[in-house]
Amino acid sequence: MNNSGSIINPKTNTGNYIVKDCKWSNLILNGNITNQAVFNRIYIAIGLATPNSYDGVEYPQIIGIHTDPEVTISNMYPN
């Protein structure tokens, strides 16, 4: 993190971001990516969800994760 500001998601109780990237949400939920994974580079795309009907807020979420080396898509993609 740089000194220019916080990267904590202010719209969640834990400060985490919801992962909406189809490939990565499946890999994370099924435990196929561990803390031992090694990448040269990781790029994260953060976007806004459509406004919630109960409060009208567009919550930030991760809409894309791109790595080097690239993680292969499972045979069951996007499930």
Side-chain angles (χ1 to χ4, degrees), residues 43-70:
Y43 299 93
I44 303 292
I46 297 175
L48 298 175
T50 55
N52 283 322
S53 58
Y54 63 91
D55 64 3
V57 175
E58 298 172 317
Y59 291 93
Q61 59 187 4
I62 294 175
I63 58 173
I65 302 175
H66 309 279
T67 61
D68 173 27
E70 184 177 352

Side-chain angles (χ1 to χ4, degrees), residues 11-40:
K11 300 298 183 179
T12 63
N13 291 334
T14 61
N16 295 331
Y17 288 82
I18 296 170
V19 176
K20 291 296 189 173
D21 180 289
C22 291
K23 175 173 68 173
W24 278 89
S25 62
N26 180 49
L27 291 170
I28 293 167
L29 290 173
N30 291 325
N32 295 330
I33 298 294
T34 68
N35 290 338
Q36 307 304 317
V38 177
F39 300 106
N40 296 322

